[in-house]
Amino acid sequence: MSKNSKVLNLRDKISGNEVDLSLSNLTEVPVRELALFPKATVVDLSCNNIISLPPEFCNLTHLVKVDLSKNQLICLPDELGNLVNLQHLDLYNNKLTVLPVSFSQLRSLKWLDLKDNPLEAGLAKAAGDCLDEKQCKQCASKVLQHMRALQDEVDRAREKRLLKEKELERKKEARKREKAEEKEKRRKEYNAHMAALAAQEQQKKKNEEKKKKNGQAAGDKKVVVESAPKPRRSLIGLMFKLLLLLLLGLVGVAAVCRMTDLQREAVCVPVNVAVDDGLTWAKRQEVVVRQLLQNLSSAAKEFLESTQTSKN
């Protein structure tokens, strides 16, 4: 049952299809109790202290006429459009400034009173006066048109927002693809770089192996080339040694024939003659060498003097 002590038995307030809860000092609507009487399509809640309607009130879709005049309503629930069977709505003398956008969905609404509410300018202009039945019907029609226009604006704004969100999502996906492509590109470049390094390393190893093989071949060839002249070197050395021994022998013979008593022997006569001739030739050559040295000294002296003169 309701929290309001004065509404002790809702059944006592029902007469046919009408529920009269006016002048009951209510601060809230007894939604649960009203839901128990779906045949009560007309509810009078006027002259109470109701500040707001709970969202559950909009589940009473069986309601056809609702009187909320002379209350303290400052707003209506966003779900108000769910009352698809509502035809008559009295909101006279409340504190409403705007209506929920879903108000445009009350397609069955034929009568509306919004007098004595601090409505915003556009809504007040659409509502006009409600001094008689005709004006209240016009109020319902014009307010529905006004709210449908607001609904269209809200829908367009929502659609624009959704399009913007989709565009942002598309750009986000595009950036994600670009990052993935860039990452794949860097990965391929890295793999190509590593493959090039591996190829260079392999080529370097091949070159080193080739150079090593060529070095071994050259070494073998050098060994062959160097080993071939050895008999020749041995032969030349042997001949040089023989020649040296021969010269030593000749010098020894000359010394014996020159300095011993054998110098008068027939064998030593030609040796002594050859030695004397050699000494004579050497003396002559000594004179020639001395003369050559004097000439070179004179020439050098003249060259130095001429050089000194040219410097001065």
Side-chain angles (χ1 to χ4, degrees):
M1 298 300 292
S2 173
K3 295 180 181 179
N4 298 276
S5 59
K6 290 188 177 182
V7 186
L8 297 176
N9 191 348
L10 189 60
R11 192 179 297 275
D12 296 337
K13 302 290 183 178
I14 296 176
S15 176
N17 67 334
E18 296 183 9
V19 180
D20 187 3
L21 295 174
S22 63
L23 300 170
S24 298
N25 198 26
L26 296 174
T27 57
E28 57 184 32
V29 180
V31 176
R32 292 183 180 181
E33 291 80 357
L34 291 172
L36 297 175
F37 300 94
K39 292 183 179 181
T41 59
V42 178
V43 177
D44 187 355
L45 291 163
S46 63
C47 301
N48 283 292
N49 296 311
I50 301 172
I51 297 175
S52 63
L53 298 177
E56 294 79 12
F57 179 81
C58 302
N59 295 330
L60 304 175
T61 57
H62 61 279
L63 296 179
V64 174
K65 181 179 179 178
V66 176
D67 189 350
L68 287 162
S69 62
K70 297 182 181 180
N71 276 280
Q72 303 296 320
L73 290 171
I74 58 176
C75 64
L76 296 175
D78 292 335
E79 298 83 359
L80 190 68
N82 294 340
L83 300 175
V84 294
N85 293 311
L86 188 62
Q87 298 179 15
H88 185 111
L89 180 59
D90 194 342
L91 294 169
Y92 167 72
N93 193 11
N94 277 277
K95 296 181 179 181
L96 296 171
T97 56
V98 294
L99 297 175
V101 178
S102 67
F103 195 94
S104 63
Q105 300 173 14
L106 300 175
R107 302 185 184 281
S108 299
L109 190 66
K110 306 298 181 184
W111 194 98
L112 177 63
D113 189 355
L114 286 170
K115 291 192 308 296
D116 292 343
N117 279 281
L119 302 174
E120 57 92 19
L123 181 58
K125 183 178 179 181
D129 294 326
C130 185
L131 302 176
D132 54 32
E133 189 75 13
K134 182 179 179 179
Q135 287 183 345
C136 290
K137 288 182 178 180
Q138 289 178 348
C139 175
S141 176
K142 290 182 179 180
V143 168
L144 284 175
Q145 290 179 2
H146 176 75
M147 297 307 297
R148 285 167 186 163
L150 293 180
Q151 181 69 57
D152 291 340
E153 290 181 4
V154 170
D155 292 342
R156 285 194 295 270
R158 183 187 298 112
E159 184 178 358
K160 187 176 180 180
R161 185 177 68 253
L162 291 175
L163 289 175
K164 187 176 181 180
E165 290 175 356
K166 288 182 179 179
E167 181 65 18
L168 291 175
E169 187 65 23
R170 188 187 64 80
K171 290 182 179 179
K172 185 177 179 181
E173 291 295 328
R175 287 195 296 269
K176 188 182 294 184
R177 286 196 302 271
E178 289 177 358
K179 288 182 179 179
E181 291 174 357
E182 182 65 22
K183 184 177 180 180
E184 181 65 18
K185 181 180 178 181
R186 291 198 302 268
R187 187 184 66 81
K188 289 181 178 180
E189 290 177 351
Y190 174 78
N191 291 338
H193 178 67
M194 296 303 295
L197 290 178
Q200 291 179 0
E201 187 66 21
Q202 188 175 4
Q203 185 64 34
K204 184 178 179 181
K205 289 181 179 179
K206 289 183 178 179
N207 292 337
E208 290 178 355
E209 291 177 357
K210 186 176 180 181
K211 188 182 294 183
K212 187 176 181 180
K213 291 180 180 179
N214 292 337
Q216 290 178 351
D220 296 341
K221 186 175 180 181
K222 186 176 181 181
V223 170
V224 173
V225 172
E226 289 179 353
S227 60
K230 282 186 179 180
R232 186 175 179 182
R233 285 185 179 179
S234 300
L235 181 60
I236 292 174
L238 181 60
M239 292 179 64
F240 178 77
K241 291 177 180 180
L242 292 174
L243 182 59
L244 183 59
L245 290 173
L246 181 60
L247 288 176
L248 291 175
L250 291 174
V251 171
V253 170
V256 169
C257 292
R258 191 78 174 174
M259 300 174 66
T260 62
D261 295 336
L262 296 176
Q263 58 182 341
R264 299 184 182 278
E265 295 294 330
V267 176
C268 293
V269 171
V271 173
N272 292 330
V273 171
V275 171
D276 293 337
D277 292 340
L279 292 174
T280 303
W281 179 82
K283 289 180 180 180
R284 292 176 181 176
Q285 295 301 320
E286 183 181 0
V287 173
V288 173
V289 169
R290 287 180 180 177
Q291 186 63 37
L292 180 61
L293 290 174
Q294 290 178 358
N295 293 337
L296 288 173
S297 177
S298 300
K301 185 176 180 180
E302 293 176 0
F303 176 75
L304 290 174
E305 290 176 356
S306 62
T307 301
Q308 188 69 27
T309 303
S310 63
K311 286 183 178 180
N312 295 332

